[in-house]
Amino acid sequence: MKKQNVSDTVIRRLPRYYRYLDDLHVKGIVRISSSTLGEKMGITASQIRQDLSCFGEFGQQGYGYNVDELRTEIGHILGVDNQHRLIILGVGNLGHALMQNFRFRDAGFLLEAAFDIDPRLIGTEVAGVPILDYARLEEFIPVHRPDVAVLTVSQAVAQSTADHLIELGIRGFWNFTNVELSTSVENVRFEDVHFADSLLTLSYRITER
Amino acid sequence: MKKQNVSDTVIRRLPRYYRYLDDLHVKGIVRISSSTLGEKMGITASQIRQDLSCFGEFGQQGYGYNVDELRTEIGHILGVDNQHRLIILGVGNLGHALMQNFRFRDAGFLLEAAFDIDPRLIGTEVAGVPILDYARLEEFIPVHRPDVAVLTVSQAVAQSTADHLIELGIRGFWNFTNVELSTSVENVRFEDVHFADSLLTLSYRITER
């Protein structure tokens, strides 16, 4: 079902569809029209139909979408049923916050371990997840083969940590460091979280008035 | 220069333009063509021209864009020179991480204070910003008139905290709680940070292969 060359904009809307559909599902709503879904999400019905057409045929004329079916289908496209494995690098405040509050399972990820160099943290646990010595990465990765590393290290060591992890075989990075990471190795994906983009959007909206 | 009815998609791309242009500016690059900028950002040159045309005329045929000028102009559209005032509600790990690491000033925001109910935190400072007693909000807000509240409280109190702040006059919310907030009061803006959207995008990309 997955087509080639789906635009970045459409890909980035998929998690939003998933989130809204999941919310409707939890609320017990069985079906929804593209126009009602569009209203909720602030996009047009035709945009929704166009986005979804990238991945197959969904919905029925006059009926709309079956919420649970579409949610399951989009979840599948996103890979939430793939059970990716994930490790966290750097257990400062942000790493700690993610370990404690973020629902990795809901996104289809299994958080296996966190790594740090601070001896006060090594050997402890947060929310049932062990914090291991950064020096043990090289033995850990070949055995556990995590798919994704969450980078919550300091900016100064962001690139060198990524390089080390790439060398050990990691290909997916959820990057909170605000450093633009780069590599010459193929098929490495950096997904950067830019808090500022969101705050600037808010700035625009409150400046508008 | 600011036009009405600019689409949400275009608004959300503005901070990215700003970020890329700022980076080019820091690197000493004086001008750039729409095609080179597009390549960097993963969008087409015509998309860039179309986006920017929502706000006025930028760039020159055959010359491209003056990096610093366009950066300044987009910053102005985003309101980064407005010096919005901001407070943080809830100094758990995430609130702490933002206070310590996030460059509010770069986004045009002045972080004035944080609020919590934990007596061990009240009266202390993080990165020079005081943590005050939540009970003092009602005297603080009319005096300091912050524009935006950052919500890093627990989910259980997210809506009630927002309601309280709205009552006190706050109209902008940077919401990290993952709770869909709502209000019947007009002109209130909720900007939600959904970490999961970003992780699911990464999931899609590593599933793709």
Side-chain angles (χ1 to χ4, degrees):
Chain A
M1 274 301 193
K2 194 176 291 177
K3 287 199 184 166
Q4 293 297 306
N5 296 321
V6 177
S7 84
D8 193 63
T9 312
V10 175
I11 294 169
R12 293 201 168 272
R13 259 201 297 269
L14 287 178
R16 287 189 65 215
Y17 285 120
Y18 187 70
R19 179 151 48 78
Y20 277 89
L21 289 163
D22 198 50
D23 188 51
L24 292 167
H25 177 64
V26 167
K27 286 182 179 146
I29 291 163
V30 174
R31 65 164 165 154
I32 193 163
S33 66
S34 49
S35 55
T36 312
L37 182 59
E39 260 169 51
K40 278 187 183 296
M41 294 181 60
I43 54 180
T44 65
S46 77
Q47 184 70 72
I48 293 183
R49 287 191 295 264
Q50 201 181 314
D51 285 357
L52 296 181
S53 73
C54 296
F55 303 97
E57 290 194 22
F58 303 97
Q60 246 182 293
Q61 189 82 40
Y63 175 86
Y65 300 108
N66 177 304
V67 169
D68 189 30
E69 255 176 53
L70 187 57
R71 169 186 155 278
T72 304
E73 201 54 54
I74 292 179
H76 183 66
I77 293 165
L78 286 169
V80 300
D81 35 17
N82 275 36
Q83 194 72 307
H84 297 294
R85 287 177 305 276
L86 173 146
I87 54 175
I88 289 184
L89 279 291
V91 190
N93 285 304
L94 186 56
H96 216 97
L98 289 170
M99 291 178 80
Q100 210 141 45
N101 301 316
F102 187 77
R103 299 205 193 93
F104 287 101
R105 265 171 209 279
D106 290 357
F109 284 81
L110 181 66
L111 177 57
E112 297 203 305
F115 292 84
D116 206 288
I117 53 169
D118 185 340
R120 287 166 301 178
L121 294 173
I122 294 164
T124 66
E125 282 190 0
V126 175
V129 174
I131 302 174
L132 308 177
D133 188 346
Y134 183 79
R136 285 187 52 200
L137 257 187
E138 296 188 25
E139 57 182 86
F140 183 93
I141 289 183
V143 176
H144 294 267
R145 306 173 65 86
D147 305 287
V148 168
V150 184
L151 285 188
T152 45
V153 294
S154 68
Q155 296 208 335
V157 298
Q159 182 69 56
S160 61
T161 305
D163 288 340
H164 187 203
L165 289 159
I166 290 167
E167 211 180 303
L168 293 170
I170 303 274
R171 291 296 173 264
F173 288 88
W174 200 23
N175 174 23
F176 285 83
T177 66
N178 264 311
V179 174
E180 290 284 336
L181 302 169
S182 61
T183 181
S184 56
V185 177
E186 270 185 43
N187 283 325
V188 173
R189 308 284 180 163
F190 297 114
E191 171 67 25
D192 302 330
V193 179
H194 289 289
F195 289 156
D197 285 9
S198 159
L199 184 59
L200 286 173
T201 305
L202 181 60
S203 172
Y204 176 88
R205 293 191 203 283
I206 62 174
T207 303
E208 241 180 329
R209 275 173 277 149
Chain B
M1 274 299 192
K2 193 176 294 176
K3 288 199 185 167
Q4 293 299 305
N5 296 322
V6 178
S7 83
D8 192 65
T9 313
V10 176
I11 294 170
R12 293 202 168 272
R13 261 200 296 269
L14 288 178
R16 287 188 65 213
Y17 285 120
Y18 187 70
R19 179 150 50 76
Y20 277 89
L21 290 162
D22 197 51
D23 187 52
L24 293 166
H25 178 63
V26 167
K27 287 182 177 144
I29 292 162
V30 174
R31 65 166 164 151
I32 192 163
S33 66
S34 49
S35 55
T36 312
L37 182 58
E39 259 168 51
K40 278 186 183 296
M41 294 182 60
I43 54 180
T44 65
S46 78
Q47 183 70 70
I48 293 182
R49 288 192 294 265
Q50 201 181 313
D51 285 357
L52 296 180
S53 73
C54 295
F55 303 97
E57 289 193 23
F58 303 96
Q60 247 182 294
Q61 189 80 41
Y63 175 87
Y65 301 108
N66 178 304
V67 169
D68 189 30
E69 255 176 52
L70 187 58
R71 168 185 156 278
T72 304
E73 201 54 56
I74 292 180
H76 183 64
I77 292 166
L78 285 170
V80 300
D81 36 15
N82 276 35
Q83 194 71 306
H84 297 294
R85 287 177 306 276
L86 172 146
I87 55 174
I88 289 184
L89 279 291
V91 191
N93 285 304
L94 186 57
H96 217 98
L98 289 170
M99 292 177 80
Q100 211 141 44
N101 301 315
F102 187 77
R103 300 206 192 94
F104 287 101
R105 265 170 209 280
D106 289 358
F109 284 80
L110 181 66
L111 177 57
E112 297 203 303
F115 293 85
D116 206 289
I117 53 168
D118 184 340
R120 289 166 300 178
L121 294 172
I122 294 165
T124 65
E125 282 190 2
V126 174
V129 174
I131 301 174
L132 308 177
D133 187 345
Y134 183 79
R136 285 186 52 200
L137 258 187
E138 295 187 26
E139 58 182 85
F140 183 93
I141 288 182
V143 177
H144 295 268
R145 303 171 68 87
D147 305 287
V148 167
V150 184
L151 285 187
T152 44
V153 294
S154 68
Q155 297 209 334
V157 299
Q159 182 68 55
S160 61
T161 306
D163 289 340
H164 187 203
L165 290 159
I166 291 167
E167 211 180 305
L168 294 171
I170 304 275
R171 291 295 174 264
F173 289 87
W174 200 22
N175 175 25
F176 285 82
T177 66
N178 264 311
V179 174
E180 289 286 335
L181 301 170
S182 62
T183 181
S184 56
V185 177
E186 269 184 43
N187 282 326
V188 173
R189 308 284 180 164
F190 297 114
E191 171 67 25
D192 302 329
V193 179
H194 289 289
F195 289 157
D197 285 9
S198 160
L199 184 58
L200 285 173
T201 305
L202 181 60
S203 171
Y204 176 87
R205 292 191 203 282
I206 61 174
T207 302
E208 242 180 329
R209 277 172 276 152

